[in-house]
Amino acid sequence: MEFQIYLMEFESVIGLEVHAELETKSKMFCSCSVVDSTIAEPNIAVCPVCTGMPGVLPVVNQRAVEYALRVALALECEIAHTSIFARKNYFYPDLPKGYQISQYEQPLARNGHLTIQTKKGERKIRIRRVHLEEDTGKLTHVHQDEESYSLVDLNRAGVPLLEIVSEPDLRSAEEVRTFANNLRSILRYLKVNSGDLEKGVMRIEPNISVRPLGSDELGTRVEVKNLNSFRALERSVAYEIKRQTREIQQGKSVIQQTVGWDENLGVTVLQRIKEEEDDYRYFPEPDLPPLVIEPEWVASIRSALPELPGAKLHRFTQEYGLSEYDAGVLVAEQAVADYYEEAVAALAEISREEVRPKTIANWIIGELFGLLNQYNVSIEQTRITPQGLASLLLLVSQGEINQNTAKAVLAEMFSTGKPADEIVAARGFTQISDSEFITELVNQVISANPDQVEEYVHGKDSIARWLFGQVMRSAKGQANPQVVQRELDRQLSALRQTDGQ
Ligand code: ADP
Ligand code: MG
Ligand code: ZN
């Protein structure tokens, strides 16, 4: 029996629950401001509604509903004409009302999907539901000397929260990361959430199980809580897949539980065992009417959606001939995608298509990103404009400067904000591709090697490469290779012609 299990192949099955705060001005059910709860003074954005005082009434924030609809539409969900807010009852000090208002049986949206690019090609991950709720407050646990106590900050209580639940369609830690990253991109494109995992405004909880390959039953799942980076998400999923597979191979069974992630040790840690489903005693919120969404409103939100990363990726591969990988990197952030397209347009204006869109992508992904990362600057902040980058690449394509020089010029553009041609002129870089200078170099090399030239003229083509090497050496590698090649070809073919006459 054990032997059989050991030989069995397993597959991992993962579904995600994602919570995203909606960046509205005010909270979900009151007019308190939404503040950055990682920096704001505790309890400055609170009122009787969000602190759960008796006798108050919640009012739905229409903007939050609009933001939620943007996301639901971007995930191609069916929008419910009527959805119902319910009370989810539980007791915890960060929840002053003793219940959270959430959508339960009738959520805002269902049956969507998000298509991701994986090693095995495109995969369509189904979205089970998207619903609206409110965030809880934040607790800070203090252990000081003999004393232990917890501080309650209700700035976050009542902030609009969107819950997005996928079907268990993901099959590896890598796919989980890709899915989560794509979802983050979408939230950022839609301007409803900054996607800042560290700040806790976007929180991802994977549910992980394994099963024999080919089975279509679900195994017992483990849920991971409190992940604050994509790295932690990917590592914790990979760890759980391994651990559960090993347990099953050893003839044990997986216990349904909630775990945390220990970043330093790289292991999951038991938080609590889930013996049965929690009983939240849901019932419809008596203080709120059903949420009715008119199709006209949905249509107008749909028509105002921006081009989303998935569609942009397709367009970039088709229109600019980029690989899916490069296109994926460029479209992850709208600001980067815009920068790229502005650079392509600027080059089209100043050149006659000598520079391919692929080359521009390489310069952005390789060189520009390198500088941005090194100095921790965003693409919006850099002093190199797309037009500036275009002018630099034109100099390269015209043979004014070579690749290595261009990299140095780019670094200087980055730190000084000066235009490429100014830097090139000031540093005397042009000399290296100054065609008179190169003509002279080629001339010298040809006169210094009469025997070799003679052989070439009589048909030994390979000599041309050797001569090219001589010219490059005498220029100490500083000459633009294309200009040298062109000039050498010109002089050598002139010699062959003279010989033939
Ligand atoms: P809850 O955790 O609130 O009980 P659900 O049962 O709806 O919620 O599941 C939450 C998430 O867990 C969903 O993304 C779902 O796809 C995923 N999931 C459910 N069962 C499994 C399983 N056996 N293995 C992996 N993922 C699962
Ligand atoms: Mg859950
Ligand atoms: Zn309030």
Side-chain angles (χ1 to χ4, degrees):
M1 172 64 189
E2 240 172 69
F3 189 59
Q4 274 182 347
I5 292 176
Y6 200 75
L7 287 180
M8 227 181 243
E9 272 199 75
F10 293 91
E11 86 173 337
S12 44
V13 174
I14 309 124
L16 303 186
E17 277 173 79
V18 178
H19 285 93
E21 284 183 4
L22 297 173
E23 286 176 351
T24 49
K25 289 204 178 67
S26 55
K27 292 189 181 179
M28 188 65 217
F29 301 114
C30 62
S31 57
C32 288
S33 295
V34 171
V35 297
D36 182 341
S37 59
T38 60
I39 52 177
E41 194 184 312
N43 300 307
I44 50 155
V46 294
C47 75
V49 176
C50 55
T51 53
M53 296 294 145
V56 295
L57 285 175
V59 177
V60 171
N61 179 342
Q62 285 297 300
R63 187 51 63 92
V65 179
E66 182 191 328
Y67 283 12
L69 286 171
R70 278 190 207 165
V71 178
L73 289 171
L75 297 174
E76 298 181 61
C77 291
E78 294 157 15
I79 309 295
H81 178 261
T82 306
S83 54
I84 309 280
F85 286 105
R87 288 190 182 179
K88 178 181 182 179
N89 297 281
Y90 67 97
F91 178 76
Y92 206 64
D94 62 3
L95 190 70
K97 290 200 292 273
Y99 60 86
Q100 178 192 32
I101 303 180
S102 178
Q103 295 186 313
Y104 182 56
E105 274 172 0
Q106 296 186 55
L108 182 77
R110 294 179 202 262
N111 300 334
H113 59 263
L114 174 56
T115 303
I116 59 171
Q117 314 287 328
T118 72
K119 276 193 257 166
K120 294 179 193 151
E122 282 193 347
R123 294 249 294 116
K124 200 167 174 175
I125 309 302
R126 291 168 302 156
I127 304 292
R128 182 182 293 176
R129 56 188 279 150
V130 173
H131 76 240
L132 270 165
E133 53 186 41
E134 55 180 335
D135 212 344
T136 59
K138 240 175 60 175
L139 297 181
T140 308
H141 305 292
V142 187
H143 305 284
Q144 221 174 35
D145 307 323
E146 319 274 88
E147 269 189 310
S148 260
Y149 54 91
S150 295
L151 298 168
V152 185
D153 174 11
L154 295 179
N155 283 343
R156 209 181 65 177
V159 167
L161 195 63
L162 195 66
E163 180 170 325
I164 302 160
V165 183
S166 85
E167 293 292 344
D169 288 348
L170 295 154
R171 293 287 174 269
S172 69
E174 203 184 353
E175 282 188 12
V176 168
R177 185 177 188 144
T178 304
F179 177 87
N181 250 316
N182 285 12
L183 187 58
R184 174 181 189 269
S185 276
I186 289 174
L187 297 176
R188 285 175 56 83
Y189 266 67
L190 297 173
K191 302 197 183 338
V192 301
N193 183 287
S194 66
D196 223 331
L197 269 63
E198 280 86 9
K199 282 193 173 176
V201 297
M202 180 181 180
R203 308 190 283 269
I204 305 169
E205 286 154 13
N207 284 263
I208 305 135
S209 64
V210 300
R211 67 182 174 197
L213 192 62
S215 157
D216 50 17
E217 274 166 39
L218 290 172
T220 306
R221 67 181 154 127
V222 170
E223 179 170 352
V224 189
K225 296 259 184 208
N226 306 328
L227 296 167
N228 60 9
S229 71
F230 284 98
R231 192 178 127 83
L233 172 67
E234 188 175 4
R235 288 179 73 205
S236 66
V237 171
Y239 176 85
E240 268 304 315
I241 292 171
K242 258 198 183 158
R243 184 185 72 79
Q244 292 178 23
T245 307
R246 198 174 48 228
E247 297 276 291
I248 296 172
Q249 280 174 341
Q250 292 174 349
K252 299 179 197 158
S253 54
V254 174
I255 299 165
Q256 184 168 346
Q257 58 189 294
T258 303
V259 299
W261 172 245
D262 185 319
E263 183 71 41
N264 294 322
L265 297 179
V267 298
T268 56
V269 187
L270 174 69
Q271 284 183 347
R272 72 188 177 107
I273 295 196
K274 265 197 172 179
E275 264 145 4
E276 54 214 55
E277 288 310 302
D278 298 306
D279 183 8
Y280 293 115
R281 293 171 293 121
Y282 283 100
F283 62 87
E285 165 63 66
D287 291 340
L288 284 171
L291 179 63
V292 175
I293 293 172
E294 297 303 339
E296 294 76 25
W297 194 29
V298 175
S300 82
I301 293 170
R302 193 196 298 276
S303 66
L305 290 181
E307 182 186 32
L308 292 165
K312 219 187 258 297
L313 187 147
H314 268 286
R315 185 167 63 77
F316 277 22
T317 57
Q318 308 255 300
E319 202 171 319
Y320 304 123
L322 300 181
S323 67
E324 285 198 339
Y325 178 81
D326 286 350
V329 172
L330 293 174
V331 306
E333 288 291 333
Q334 179 141 30
V336 173
D338 290 349
Y339 187 101
Y340 173 68
E341 291 204 280
E342 277 179 47
V344 171
L347 261 163
E349 234 171 68
I350 56 178
S351 75
R352 274 181 243 95
E353 297 185 359
E354 295 106 316
V355 185
R356 292 185 313 135
K358 165 82 183 136
T359 308
I360 306 170
N362 290 346
W363 275 85
I364 292 177
I365 295 169
E367 299 308 315
L368 184 60
F369 278 11
L371 291 165
L372 296 176
N373 286 340
Q374 191 181 340
Y375 296 97
N376 198 16
V377 166
S378 75
I379 200 150
E380 289 102 326
Q381 294 166 322
T382 176
R383 295 156 90 173
I384 304 176
T385 61
Q387 292 73 20
L389 178 66
S391 322
L392 175 70
L393 299 188
L394 186 63
L395 293 179
V396 179
S397 78
Q398 290 173 335
E400 293 279 330
I401 53 176
N402 65 26
Q403 297 268 336
N404 281 334
T405 305
K407 286 177 191 173
V409 173
L410 189 76
E412 199 169 326
M413 291 167 74
F414 184 84
S415 55
T416 64
K418 285 186 188 153
D421 48 4
E422 200 176 295
I423 295 167
V424 168
R427 293 262 216 121
F429 282 141
T430 38
Q431 179 210 359
I432 53 172
S433 61
D434 174 319
S435 56
E436 259 176 53
F437 172 74
I438 285 175
T439 305
E440 185 49 35
L441 275 182
V442 172
N443 237 325
Q444 282 170 12
V445 167
I446 286 183
S447 354
N449 300 284
D451 297 347
Q452 284 83 353
V453 172
E454 178 86 6
E455 280 182 62
Y456 173 81
V457 168
H458 290 108
K460 197 170 173 193
D461 288 343
S462 61
I463 296 289
R465 289 195 53 148
W466 182 82
L467 288 167
F468 174 79
Q470 297 304 304
V471 180
M472 292 305 284
R473 181 182 301 176
S474 70
K476 298 190 181 68
Q478 293 235 311
N480 181 302
Q482 282 155 311
V483 179
V484 169
Q485 191 69 62
R486 222 182 300 137
E487 179 57 21
L488 185 65
D489 287 350
R490 192 185 65 77
Q491 295 203 22
L492 287 177
S493 71
L495 286 173
R496 267 190 180 166
Q497 254 169 26
T498 327
D499 187 69
Q501 279 169 1

